[in-house]
Amino acid sequence: DVKVTQSSRYLVKRTGEKVFLECVQDMDHENMFWYRQDPGLGLRLIYFSYDVKMKEKGDIPEGYSVSREKKERFSLILESASTNQTSMYLCASTLGTGLQETQYFGPGTRLLVL
Amino acid sequence: AQSVAQPEDQVNVAEGNPLTVKCTYSVSGNPYLFWYVQYPNRGLQFLLKYITGDNLVKGSYGFEAEFNKSQTSFHLKKPSALVSDSALYFCAVRDFMDSNYQLIWGAGTKLIIKP
């Protein structure tokens, strides 16, 4: 089974802090994704990556950056956390880029910015 | 523009009764349709998908969904609900004609099964 892990389940940070969220997948998947999940808004794509050192902006990249130095690891960085970034963050991966690909999700990180 | 609508924020069903969670979509080409489920305090899990072929798709945990092209719908169904089916359900779509690989997600429907 594919396993996607995220570094923290819960995180509390202060406004202005730099925040790192880490995601690791163990099945040699090519593609990795970062979403945020907010009630009533579903999932919104922040960034995705098709390969090591490659990144593409999603729908809401503002205030975020990402890093993919190794195939199995995809990091989401909040350069200066703000209260409107309080949310659930979900990492996902897919084996390939086909339209029929199933996404495999991590358990999520619930971030609270005070 | 591509979009997915889940018209009900919450669906309440008695245990043992059939359940339906609704999803409609709008794409410019042919759709690839997905259902995912999120159990409390857990990440999303894949339930089923429609790519092509038979309009009735069977998935995990006894769920099925019917693709209806004329009504642009992909409703999730189960003949007999279990309390353990209580969760948040998301419908998602990709457009076959769209070179962008992004999934378009619905807002989610909370399913509550009462004993």
Side-chain angles (χ1 to χ4, degrees), chain A residues 2 4-5 7 17 28 35 37 45 50-51 55-56 60 62 82 89 97 106 111-112 114:
Chain A
V2 176
V4 181
T5 57
S7 50
E17 280 193 78
D28 204 35
Y35 292 95
Q37 179 184 359
L45 183 64
Y50 289 138
D51 201 352
K55 61 183 179 183
E56 296 282 345
I60 52 165
E62 296 79 19
S82 63
Y89 290 88
T97 55
L111 173 66
L112 173 62
L114 301 174

Side-chain angles (χ1 to χ4, degrees), chain A residues 22-93:
Chain A
E22 299 250 305
C23 174
V24 178
Q25 49 91 6
D26 67 355
M27 284 300 290
D28 204 35
H29 280 185
E30 297 289 333
N31 311 296
M32 298 187 75
F33 306 81
W34 274 107
Y35 292 95
R36 64 177 282 175
Q37 179 184 359
D38 299 288
L41 297 178
L43 274 69
R44 293 180 291 167
L45 183 64
I46 304 171
Y47 269 97
F48 59 102
S49 169
Y50 289 138
D51 201 352
V52 175
K53 297 191 185 296
M54 302 291 287
K55 61 183 179 183
E56 296 282 345
K57 292 180 180 179
D59 297 322
I60 52 165
E62 296 79 19
Y64 304 94
S65 62
V66 290
S67 172
R68 194 162 180 206
E69 295 297 318
K70 293 184 178 181
K71 190 175 186 179
E72 68 271 18
R73 190 179 298 269
F74 192 36
S75 302
L76 180 69
I77 303 150
L78 286 65
E79 295 289 343
S80 177
S82 63
T83 55
N84 62 13
Q85 292 179 309
T86 291
S87 187
M88 169 72 94
Y89 290 88
L90 297 173
C91 175
S93 70

Side-chain angles (χ1 to χ4, degrees), chain B residues 37 39 45-48 58-64 76 78:
Chain B
V37 59
Y39 296 103
Q45 299 177 33
F46 168 75
L47 263 185
L48 51 80
K58 294 188 183 296
S60 306
Y61 312 120
F63 283 93
E64 60 188 28
L76 182 70
K78 187 173 182 180

Side-chain angles (χ1 to χ4, degrees), chain B residues 89-108:
Chain B
Y89 290 81
F90 290 94
C91 181
V93 66
R94 277 198 188 100
D95 186 349
F96 179 76
M97 297 298 291
D98 190 348
S99 59
N100 188 326
Y101 295 121
Q102 291 183 36
L103 270 173
I104 307 300
W105 294 85

Side-chain angles (χ1 to χ4, degrees), chain B residues 17-51:
Chain B
N17 283 1
L19 69 88
T20 298
V21 182
K22 295 180 180 177
C23 172
T24 59
Y25 65 90
S26 175
V27 297
S28 55
N30 290 324
Y32 288 67
L33 293 152
F34 301 78
W35 276 102
Y36 286 79
V37 59
Q38 186 177 39
Y39 296 103
N41 299 315
R42 294 172 65 177
L44 271 74
Q45 299 177 33
F46 168 75
L47 263 185
L48 51 80
K49 63 184 175 184
Y50 171 81
I51 303 301

